[in-house]
Amino acid sequence: MKGIQKILKKNNYVTIKLKKIATNHLELKATINGIKGRFILDTGASNTCVGLDLVEHFKLTAEVSETKAAGAGAIDMETQQSKNNILKIGDWKTKKSHLILFDLSHVNSALEQHNAKKVDGIIGADVLQKGKAFIDYNKNILYLKKKK
């Protein structure tokens, strides 16, 4: 595995530590517009999401969205969106992060039932694709490629 780590580092990838929580989800720290938060990494989520109740906390500009959210046992949830946010995960950064905002209470209720802490949002496949991600599930490490 060290060979892969060297290759990724040589190709401008950064290392982000992931924490396996009680629900077997992988959790990571990230900042949105300079504000720190706790997020679940979800390869099955198409978009990165933030709790609707955290719009002011993360200094987001919320706009109406036609999109309905579904997942984790909930469907047809009303959403809003926020464009052009600064998202930083470790040493990886994007200044054009498009976020979906919706009520995460069902997600956090499920986490709390397993004695896991609440999260502020979900890092989805949009970020993983933008960062050309590699995930090392053995070592709980996310690799994202820095832009030059």
Side-chain angles (χ1 to χ4, degrees):
M1 194 60 172
K2 287 189 192 258
I4 291 172
Q5 290 171 337
K6 282 183 183 177
I7 291 168
L8 291 174
K9 189 172 185 174
K10 185 178 177 184
N11 284 286
N12 219 25
Y13 277 80
V14 297
T15 302
I16 295 116
K17 290 189 184 275
L18 303 170
K19 178 183 172 188
K20 190 181 250 186
I21 59 174
T23 58
N24 275 337
H25 287 97
L26 295 173
E27 182 186 273
L28 64 144
K29 305 278 194 252
T31 63
I32 297 174
N33 301 325
I35 311 296
K36 292 179 184 176
R38 175 184 288 118
F39 297 83
I40 286 176
L41 181 66
D42 187 347
T43 60
S46 52
N47 295 293
T48 294
C49 307
V50 172
L52 201 47
D53 58 328
L54 297 169
V55 169
E56 288 180 23
H57 176 75
F58 285 113
K59 302 176 187 172
L60 304 173
T61 303
E63 302 172 7
V64 175
S65 173
E66 298 296 317
T67 306
K68 298 277 188 191
I75 57 169
D76 281 341
M77 293 180 291
E78 295 293 324
T79 67
Q80 293 183 14
Q81 62 183 340
S82 182
K83 297 178 182 173
N84 298 320
N85 296 285
I86 299 169
L87 174 65
K88 191 168 187 282
I89 305 170
D91 288 331
W92 184 86
K93 181 178 176 179
T94 180
K95 294 178 182 175
K96 293 186 178 182
S97 183
H98 180 96
L99 305 170
I100 301 299
L101 312 170
F102 72 100
D103 182 1
L104 287 176
S105 60
H106 67 287
V107 172
N108 281 318
S109 291
L111 290 173
E112 288 179 318
Q113 286 177 6
H114 290 90
N115 296 319
K117 293 179 182 175
K118 287 183 176 183
V119 294
D120 299 312
I122 297 164
I123 302 296
D126 57 338
V127 168
L128 299 175
Q129 288 172 336
K130 191 180 280 189
K132 300 179 179 171
F134 285 91
I135 302 170
D136 182 340
Y137 287 97
N138 260 353
K139 296 193 185 324
N140 293 330
I141 295 174
L142 169 65
Y143 296 95
L144 294 173
K145 187 174 177 94
K146 264 180 141 175
K147 293 179 183 174
K148 291 183 181 178

PDB file of all heavy atoms in Angstrom, residues 36-48:
ATOM      1  N   LYS A  36     -15.881  25.440  10.725  1.00  0.00           N
ATOM      2  CA  LYS A  36     -15.649  24.005  10.859  1.00  0.00           C
ATOM      3  C   LYS A  36     -16.952  23.242  11.064  1.00  0.00           C
ATOM      4  O   LYS A  36     -17.879  23.734  11.703  1.00  0.00           O
ATOM      5  CB  LYS A  36     -14.733  23.733  12.054  1.00  0.00           C
ATOM      6  CG  LYS A  36     -13.326  24.217  11.868  1.00  0.00           C
ATOM      7  CD  LYS A  36     -12.486  23.944  13.087  1.00  0.00           C
ATOM      8  CE  LYS A  36     -11.096  24.544  12.909  1.00  0.00           C
ATOM      9  NZ  LYS A  36     -10.280  24.377  14.115  1.00  0.00           N
ATOM     10  N   GLY A  37     -16.960  22.019  10.532  1.00  0.00           N
ATOM     11  CA  GLY A  37     -18.118  21.153  10.705  1.00  0.00           C
ATOM     12  C   GLY A  37     -17.746  19.684  10.662  1.00  0.00           C
ATOM     13  O   GLY A  37     -16.635  19.323  10.290  1.00  0.00           O
ATOM     14  N   ARG A  38     -18.712  18.853  11.038  1.00  0.00           N
ATOM     15  CA  ARG A  38     -18.556  17.395  11.055  1.00  0.00           C
ATOM     16  C   ARG A  38     -19.468  16.833   9.967  1.00  0.00           C
ATOM     17  O   ARG A  38     -20.656  17.149   9.913  1.00  0.00           O
ATOM     18  CB  ARG A  38     -18.962  16.856  12.427  1.00  0.00           C
ATOM     19  CG  ARG A  38     -18.945  15.358  12.518  1.00  0.00           C
ATOM     20  CD  ARG A  38     -19.454  14.851  13.863  1.00  0.00           C
ATOM     21  NE  ARG A  38     -18.470  15.120  14.897  1.00  0.00           N
ATOM     22  CZ  ARG A  38     -18.680  15.900  15.949  1.00  0.00           C
ATOM     23  NH1 ARG A  38     -19.839  16.481  16.136  1.00  0.00           N
ATOM     24  NH2 ARG A  38     -17.742  16.078  16.840  1.00  0.00           N
ATOM     25  N   PHE A  39     -18.913  15.968   9.120  1.00  0.00           N
ATOM     26  CA  PHE A  39     -19.644  15.455   7.968  1.00  0.00           C
ATOM     27  C   PHE A  39     -19.463  13.946   7.836  1.00  0.00           C
ATOM     28  O   PHE A  39     -18.441  13.399   8.226  1.00  0.00           O
ATOM     29  CB  PHE A  39     -19.141  16.122   6.678  1.00  0.00           C
ATOM     30  CG  PHE A  39     -19.378  17.602   6.665  1.00  0.00           C
ATOM     31  CD1 PHE A  39     -18.486  18.472   7.287  1.00  0.00           C
ATOM     32  CD2 PHE A  39     -20.503  18.130   6.064  1.00  0.00           C
ATOM     33  CE1 PHE A  39     -18.709  19.837   7.304  1.00  0.00           C
ATOM     34  CE2 PHE A  39     -20.743  19.501   6.074  1.00  0.00           C
ATOM     35  CZ  PHE A  39     -19.845  20.350   6.700  1.00  0.00           C
ATOM     36  N   ILE A  40     -20.468  13.317   7.253  1.00  0.00           N
ATOM     37  CA  ILE A  40     -20.374  11.907   6.888  1.00  0.00           C
ATOM     38  C   ILE A  40     -19.934  11.852   5.432  1.00  0.00           C
ATOM     39  O   ILE A  40     -20.406  12.630   4.603  1.00  0.00           O
ATOM     40  CB  ILE A  40     -21.740  11.203   7.048  1.00  0.00           C
ATOM     41  CG1 ILE A  40     -22.055  10.984   8.517  1.00  0.00           C
ATOM     42  CG2 ILE A  40     -21.756   9.868   6.312  1.00  0.00           C
ATOM     43  CD1 ILE A  40     -23.421  10.388   8.754  1.00  0.00           C
ATOM     44  N   LEU A  41     -19.050  10.927   5.115  1.00  0.00           N
ATOM     45  CA  LEU A  41     -18.651  10.684   3.735  1.00  0.00           C
ATOM     46  C   LEU A  41     -19.632   9.661   3.167  1.00  0.00           C
ATOM     47  O   LEU A  41     -19.790   8.582   3.722  1.00  0.00           O
ATOM     48  CB  LEU A  41     -17.222  10.138   3.684  1.00  0.00           C
ATOM     49  CG  LEU A  41     -16.664   9.851   2.303  1.00  0.00           C
ATOM     50  CD1 LEU A  41     -16.505  11.140   1.515  1.00  0.00           C
ATOM     51  CD2 LEU A  41     -15.335   9.142   2.412  1.00  0.00           C
ATOM     52  N   ASP A  42     -20.319  10.018   2.087  1.00  0.00           N
ATOM     53  CA  ASP A  42     -21.334   9.130   1.525  1.00  0.00           C
ATOM     54  C   ASP A  42     -21.155   9.042   0.012  1.00  0.00           C
ATOM     55  O   ASP A  42     -21.573   9.928  -0.725  1.00  0.00           O
ATOM     56  CB  ASP A  42     -22.733   9.640   1.872  1.00  0.00           C
ATOM     57  CG  ASP A  42     -23.839   8.676   1.472  1.00  0.00           C
ATOM     58  OD1 ASP A  42     -23.564   7.720   0.704  1.00  0.00           O
ATOM     59  OD2 ASP A  42     -24.979   8.882   1.918  1.00  0.00           O
ATOM     60  N   THR A  43     -20.543   7.948  -0.426  1.00  0.00           N
ATOM     61  CA  THR A  43     -20.290   7.764  -1.849  1.00  0.00           C
ATOM     62  C   THR A  43     -21.590   7.594  -2.635  1.00  0.00           C
ATOM     63  O   THR A  43     -21.621   7.797  -3.845  1.00  0.00           O
ATOM     64  CB  THR A  43     -19.392   6.536  -2.103  1.00  0.00           C
ATOM     65  OG1 THR A  43     -20.055   5.372  -1.589  1.00  0.00           O
ATOM     66  CG2 THR A  43     -18.037   6.696  -1.438  1.00  0.00           C
ATOM     67  N   GLY A  44     -22.674   7.253  -1.956  1.00  0.00           N
ATOM     68  CA  GLY A  44     -23.964   7.066  -2.610  1.00  0.00           C
ATOM     69  C   GLY A  44     -24.790   8.334  -2.708  1.00  0.00           C
ATOM     70  O   GLY A  44     -25.813   8.359  -3.388  1.00  0.00           O
ATOM     71  N   ALA A  45     -24.367   9.388  -2.023  1.00  0.00           N
ATOM     72  CA  ALA A  45     -25.076  10.668  -2.104  1.00  0.00           C
ATOM     73  C   ALA A  45     -24.553  11.412  -3.326  1.00  0.00           C
ATOM     74  O   ALA A  45     -23.354  11.638  -3.446  1.00  0.00           O
ATOM     75  CB  ALA A  45     -24.849  11.480  -0.839  1.00  0.00           C
ATOM     76  N   SER A  46     -25.434  11.798  -4.213  1.00  0.00           N
ATOM     77  CA  SER A  46     -24.973  12.459  -5.435  1.00  0.00           C
ATOM     78  C   SER A  46     -24.418  13.852  -5.174  1.00  0.00           C
ATOM     79  O   SER A  46     -23.517  14.304  -5.858  1.00  0.00           O
ATOM     80  CB  SER A  46     -26.088  12.519  -6.479  1.00  0.00           C
ATOM     81  OG  SER A  46     -27.254  13.074  -5.924  1.00  0.00           O
ATOM     82  N   ASN A  47     -24.954  14.527  -4.146  1.00  0.00           N
ATOM     83  CA  ASN A  47     -24.530  15.899  -3.850  1.00  0.00           C
ATOM     84  C   ASN A  47     -24.077  16.050  -2.406  1.00  0.00           C
ATOM     85  O   ASN A  47     -24.526  15.313  -1.528  1.00  0.00           O
ATOM     86  CB  ASN A  47     -25.699  16.872  -4.072  1.00  0.00           C
ATOM     87  CG  ASN A  47     -26.119  16.929  -5.510  1.00  0.00           C
ATOM     88  OD1 ASN A  47     -25.376  17.400  -6.362  1.00  0.00           O
ATOM     89  ND2 ASN A  47     -27.306  16.441  -5.801  1.00  0.00           N
ATOM     90  N   THR A  48     -23.253  17.050  -2.185  1.00  0.00           N
ATOM     91  CA  THR A  48     -22.865  17.415  -0.830  1.00  0.00           C
ATOM     92  C   THR A  48     -24.003  18.218  -0.229  1.00  0.00           C
ATOM     93  O   THR A  48     -24.563  19.097  -0.875  1.00  0.00           O
ATOM     94  CB  THR A  48     -21.538  18.197  -0.860  1.00  0.00           C
ATOM     95  OG1 THR A  48     -20.525  17.287  -1.323  1.00  0.00           O
ATOM     96  CG2 THR A  48     -21.162  18.723   0.515  1.00  0.00           C
TER      97      THR A  48
END
